[in-house]
């Protein structure tokens, strides 16, 4: 059976929490995070199913009558995590208050500049040129290309071996 009141409370907590997170004041953001965390804990508790017997083993109790302990463990973990996030946010709020006597999140000129610029980057977004492979074509074309390369090497001073021999002779 669905508990409509519990679902209604959970929905209101989520709605108010999201509204508060979107504010510029850090204390409102903190309150929004706390409300969303509590709404999530209620959701996990509700997803655990109907209440049953405690999860202590008793040989006479049918295993189907036990309550699943996993949702309770998840809620305890969520409480610890929300406590840590709350402590971090309180530290940020305190530091912001000490430095600027403000609780608001400031607009950053660089963020506005980056948001206003185009997403198009010619280096990343242009189509890559199609380059022919040296392995494409017929056997005759590859042999002709090989001969042209050899002729260019010879015109430029010979092959690598000949260039090495010439350097060694110059050193002597």
């Amino acid at each position: 059976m669905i508990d409509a009141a519990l679902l209604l409370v959970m929905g209101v907590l989520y709605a108010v929490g999201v509204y508060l997170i979107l504010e510029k004041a850090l204390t409102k953001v903190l309150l929004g995070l706390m409300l969303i965390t509590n709404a999530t804990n209620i959701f996990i508790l509700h997803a655990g199913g109907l209440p049953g017997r405690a999860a202590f083993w008793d040989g006479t109790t049918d295993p189907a009558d036990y309550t699943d302990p996993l949702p309770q463990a998840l809620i305890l973990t969520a409480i610890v995590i929300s406590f840590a996030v709350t402590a971090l946010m309180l530290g940020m709020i305190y530091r912001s208050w000490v430095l600027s006597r403000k609780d608001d999140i400031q607009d950053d000129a660089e963020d506005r500049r980056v948001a206003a610029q185009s997403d198009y980057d010619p280096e990343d977004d242009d189509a890559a040129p199609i380059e022919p492979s040296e392995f494409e074509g017929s056997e005759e074309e590859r042999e002709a290309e090989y001969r042209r390369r050899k002729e260019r090497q010879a015109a430029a001073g010979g092959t690598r071996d000949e260039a090495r021999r010439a350097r060694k002779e110059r050193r002597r």
Side-chain angles (χ1 to χ4, degrees):
M1 180 175 168
I2 297 175
D3 188 9
L6 192 61
L7 291 176
L8 181 68
V9 167
M10 182 179 60
V12 169
L13 286 175
Y14 272 125
V16 173
V18 168
Y19 176 78
L20 287 174
I21 280 183
L22 297 175
E23 293 291 321
K24 289 180 79 168
L26 286 174
T27 52
K28 291 181 182 178
V29 171
L30 175 64
L31 291 173
L33 278 173
M34 293 170 64
L35 289 176
I36 287 177
T37 303
N38 288 329
T40 304
N41 289 343
I42 292 172
F43 174 71
I44 293 171
L45 181 68
H46 188 69
L50 297 173
R53 297 181 137 257
F56 298 119
W57 186 79
D58 183 12
T60 60
T61 307
D62 183 29
D65 293 337
Y66 286 127
T67 299
D68 186 14
L70 182 63
Q72 298 168 19
L74 289 174
I75 291 172
L76 286 174
T77 304
I79 290 170
V80 171
I81 292 170
S82 68
F83 177 74
V85 170
T86 302
L88 175 71
M89 285 291 295
L90 283 172
M92 289 172 55
I93 292 168
Y94 176 74
R95 185 70 177 162
S96 173
W97 181 258
V98 166
L99 291 177
S100 64
R101 294 286 183 214
K102 292 181 183 176
D103 187 16
D104 292 339
I105 300 170
Q106 300 297 318
D107 285 338
D108 190 14
E110 183 67 15
D111 287 343
R112 289 185 180 270
R113 187 192 64 77
V114 169
Q117 75 184 13
S118 172
D119 290 339
Y120 178 76
D121 183 15
E123 185 175 318
D124 292 336
D125 299 333
D126 276 348
I130 298 173
E131 297 178 7
S133 171
E134 64 184 71
F135 301 109
E136 292 177 356
S138 66
E139 185 73 27
E140 294 83 24
E141 291 173 351
R142 288 193 295 263
E143 287 178 13
E145 178 63 28
Y146 178 73
R147 276 188 241 111
R148 283 192 294 269
R149 285 185 187 168
K150 286 293 185 186
E151 289 171 3
R152 278 185 262 147
Q153 283 179 349
T159 62
R160 290 185 194 168
D161 293 334
E162 293 171 3
R164 284 186 198 141
R165 280 188 227 120
R167 279 186 292 219
K168 285 183 182 178
E169 288 180 20
R170 278 186 252 148
R171 289 183 198 154
R172 293 182 193 169

